[in-house]
C-alpha cells in the first residue's frame, strides 16, 4: 500500500473486534468535537456492517461515554422508502441506537425517504445549510461509510452521474428495480469532512478493497474517490476484507 499519513488501515480478527475499535474511535472523535465546538456532527451509513457498532454505542458500556445531547446525527444516504420500512437507514438507527440513547429530536437530521427523491435531496441541502451555515460546504466531524463489492459507497454507484457531481451537496439517485431509489451526500461533502471511517467485513469485499488501497484512491471506484482535503480516513477491516484469510 502507498504510504499516506491521512489514511490509516486497521485490521481486526472479526466484526466484533472491528466494531469495538470503531466505537472507541467514534467516542474520541465525539469528545474532541464537543470539547472544541460544543457539538459533534456525524453522518451515518446503512448496510449490514455497522449494525453491530450502532448496537455497541447504545450499550451500557459505551453510551454513558458520549454526551448524546450534543451529538447531531445525519445520514450519508437513504433509500426512498418510509422511515419504518425494513430497508430504511433511519430504521436501522432507530432499532439499534435511537430508541436506547437520548438524542434530542432536533439533533436527528434524517433524510425524508418517503418524499420525492429530488425534493428530499433539496430539503436535505437546506437542512445542511441551516446547520453548517450557508456560505460553505458542510464540515462534518465524522462521516461513516461502507463499501460495496462494486466499489460503491454511500449511494454513489460506479457510473452514476451522482459520482461526478461537483456542485450539489445532496442528490437523488435513480436505480433500476428491484433496487430502491436513493438520496445521497455527494463527494464534495464527503471530502470536506474532518474524518471518514470505512467499515468493511467479509471475503466478498477483499478484491475491491485491495484495488482501492493498493492503487491508492483508484478512480474506478466511488469509494476510491473519497479523499478528504484536510481530513483523515480510517479503514476498519476484518481479516477477510483485508484479504488475510
Ligand atoms: C447503504 C449504504 C451503502 C453500504 C454498502 C456496504 O445504505 O446500504 O450506505 O453504501 O454502506 O453497501 O453495505 P454492507 O455493510 O451491507 O456491506
Amino acid at each position: 500500500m502507498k504510504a499516506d499519513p491521512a489514511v490509516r488501515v486497521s485490521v481486526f480478527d472479526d466484526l466484533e473486534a472491528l466494531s469495538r475499535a470503531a466505537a472507541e474511535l467514534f467516542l474520541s472523535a465525539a469528545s474532541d468535537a464537543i470539547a472544541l465546538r460544543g457539538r459533534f456532527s456525524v453522518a451515518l451509513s446503512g448496510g449490514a456492517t455497522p449494525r453491530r457498532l450502532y448496537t455497541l454505542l447504545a450499550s451500557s458500556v459505551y453510551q454513558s461515554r458520549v454526551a448524546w445531547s450534543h451529538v447531531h446525527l445525519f445520514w450519508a444516504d437513504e433509500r426512498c422508502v418510509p422511515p419504518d420500512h425494513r430497508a430504511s437507514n433511519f430504521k436501522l438507527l432507530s432499532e439499534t441506537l435511537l430508541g436506547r440513547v437520548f438524542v434530542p429530536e432536533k439533533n436527528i437530521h434524517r433524510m425524508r425517504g418517503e418524499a420525492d427523491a429530488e425534493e428530499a435531496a433539496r430539503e436535505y441541502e437546506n437542512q445542511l445549510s441551516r446547520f453548517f451555515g450557508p456560505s460553505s460546504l458542510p464540515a462534518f466531524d465524522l462521516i461513516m461509510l461502507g463499501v460495496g463489492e462494486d466499489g460503491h459507497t454511500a449511494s454513489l454507484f460506479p457510473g452514476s452521474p451522482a459520482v461526478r457531481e461537483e456542485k450539489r451537496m445532496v442528490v437523488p439517485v435513480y436505480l433500476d428495480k428491484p433496487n430502491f431509489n436513493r438520496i445521497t451526500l455527494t463527494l464534495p461533502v464527503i471530502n470536506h469532512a474532518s474524518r471518514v471511517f470505512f467499515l468493511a467485513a467479509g471475503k466478498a469485499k477483499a478484491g475491491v478493497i485491495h484495488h482501492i488501497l493498493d492503487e491508492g484512491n483508484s478512480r474506478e471506484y466511488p469509494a476510491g474517490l473519497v479523499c478528504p482535503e484536510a481530513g483523515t480516513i480510517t479503514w476498519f477491516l476484518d481479516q477477510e476484507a483485508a484479504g488475510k484469510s
Side-chain angles (χ1 to χ4, degrees):
M1 196 187 89
K2 290 180 190 161
D4 178 344
V7 180
R8 182 162 178 210
V9 181
S10 300
V11 181
F12 302 90
D13 284 347
D14 51 26
L15 180 65
E16 181 64 22
L18 174 168
S19 305
R20 287 185 183 271
E24 287 297 337
L25 223 62
F26 180 103
L27 293 181
S28 75
S31 308
D32 290 354
I34 293 168
L36 212 66
R37 284 182 291 283
R39 70 184 194 191
F40 175 56
S41 55
V42 54
L44 306 162
S45 280
T49 319
R51 177 175 280 273
R52 179 64 185 144
L53 165 62
Y54 300 149
T55 306
L56 277 174
L57 289 172
S59 69
S60 54
V61 181
Y62 292 94
Q63 76 155 272
S64 57
R65 294 171 55 197
V66 184
W68 290 101
S69 57
H70 297 282
V71 174
H72 286 261
L73 299 177
F74 291 82
W75 272 257
D77 69 329
E78 182 57 281
R79 291 174 185 76
C80 292
V81 295
D84 57 354
H85 190 283
R86 59 177 169 76
S88 158
N89 286 347
F90 175 77
K91 183 173 163 74
L92 169 64
L93 268 300
S94 330
E95 284 173 356
T96 50
L97 188 68
L98 296 177
R100 301 191 174 137
V101 300
F102 176 69
V103 181
E105 189 91 31
K106 65 173 181 41
N107 295 13
I108 301 172
H109 309 267
R110 78 172 179 91
M111 290 173 163
R112 290 210 315 124
E114 67 277 31
D116 167 73
E118 173 62 38
E119 195 185 306
R122 296 274 175 201
E123 267 181 34
Y124 213 62
E125 291 190 302
N126 291 336
Q127 202 168 149
L128 292 178
S129 297
R130 281 197 299 276
F131 185 82
F132 289 101
S135 53
S136 63
L137 277 171
F140 280 103
D141 294 310
L142 172 63
I143 299 186
M144 308 233 314
L145 297 172
V147 57
E149 290 165 44
D150 60 355
H152 80 263
T153 192
S155 286
L156 300 168
F157 293 91
S160 156
V163 179
R164 297 188 300 276
E165 180 61 49
E166 288 179 357
K167 294 204 170 64
R168 290 186 59 181
M169 299 184 279
V170 187
V171 291
V173 176
Y174 300 103
L175 299 173
D176 291 333
K177 281 192 171 153
N179 291 307
F180 300 105
N181 290 334
R182 313 274 190 111
I183 306 155
T184 188
L185 298 183
T186 58
L187 283 167
V189 173
I190 294 173
N191 285 336
H192 204 62
S194 299
R195 300 184 198 220
V196 170
F197 288 0
F198 272 109
L199 267 61
K203 262 197 182 57
K205 307 277 172 80
V208 75
I209 287 169
H210 173 70
H211 204 82
I212 291 169
L213 292 176
D214 290 347
E215 302 286 307
N217 282 325
S218 155
R219 304 189 70 80
E220 263 175 71
Y221 302 106
L225 296 168
V226 173
C227 177
E229 300 128 37
T232 59
I233 304 182
T234 308
W235 285 83
F236 296 85
L237 305 177
D238 71 353
Q239 296 276 350
E240 290 188 340
K244 294 192 192 301
S245 71

